[in-house]
Amino acid sequence: GNPEVNSTIHGPGPGPVGPNYGSCQTGGGGGTYRDMYQVVTGLDPAEEYYLDGFIAGGSASVGADLKVRLEGATTDEQVAAIPADYGFGWTATNTLAAFPTAAGELTIRYSLTVGNGWSNGTAIHADGVTLTPEPAGLALLGLAGLPLLRRRR
C-alpha cells in the first residue's frame, strides 16, 4: 500500500525510497491484528543471520503495538508501543539476529495490534530491509583466502 505521508499513521518526512518496501495498514476495533511477512529459503542452518532496515508507522485515535520479528530455529523481535494520534517517520530498526530452521528458512514479519478502542488507521511500513549472514563467518571466509594471495606473489 501507499502510506499517507505526514500523517498520524506515517509520521513526518517522505514516503519510501528503497527497493525492499512493504506496508501494512488497518482500521478497526481493539485487538485487531495485521501482519506482512516474507519467508527466505535456501539459508545455511548453521549460520546466524542479521536483519536490518527502517520502519515508519503510527496510529490514529488509539494506541497500537508494532512488532518486527525474525523467526527461525531461534527468534528475535523488537516491539514499539505507539501512543494514540502519533506517527513516527523512518527510524532504523534494532539489528535482529536468528538462526534459520533445519530446512534453511527464516521468516521476516512486521505486525501491528490495535489497542483498546476504535482505530481510524494504524500502519507499519518497512523499507531498506536487508538480511545478511553473521559478520564473523564472512571474516573467516576472507582469512581463508589469505594463503592463496601469498602463494601468487
Side-chain angles (χ1 to χ4, degrees):
N2 194 10
E4 298 174 23
V5 282
N6 295 316
S7 72
T8 56
I9 60 172
H10 181 275
V17 294
N20 302 320
Y21 172 73
S23 181
C24 182
Q25 185 171 320
T26 188
T32 300
Y33 172 85
R34 296 286 184 267
D35 76 345
M36 60 181 173
Y37 66 92
Q38 174 70 46
V39 178
V40 182
T41 61
L43 302 174
D44 180 354
E47 189 81 48
E48 188 171 36
Y49 289 82
Y50 292 98
L51 177 71
D52 290 292
F54 295 87
I55 57 171
S59 186
S61 308
V62 298
D65 286 330
L66 305 181
K67 190 180 292 186
V68 181
R69 286 176 61 95
L70 184 59
E71 305 167 348
T74 59
T75 298
D76 198 1
E77 69 181 22
Q78 175 183 355
V79 179
I82 306 302
D85 295 319
Y86 177 78
F88 63 94
W90 293 111
T91 304
T93 61
N94 295 340
T95 298
L96 304 179
F99 285 91
T101 64
E105 296 181 350
L106 278 172
T107 300
I108 302 167
R109 183 178 309 273
Y110 295 87
S111 63
L112 58 90
T113 304
V114 176
N116 293 327
W118 184 265
S119 171
N120 292 325
T122 301
I124 185 170
H125 314 287
D127 196 8
V129 178
T130 58
L131 184 67
T132 54
E134 187 257 332
L138 292 175
L140 289 175
L141 287 175
L143 291 174
L146 285 178
L148 296 175
L149 290 174
R150 178 171 263 179
R151 286 185 188 164
R152 287 184 87 186
R153 291 181 183 181

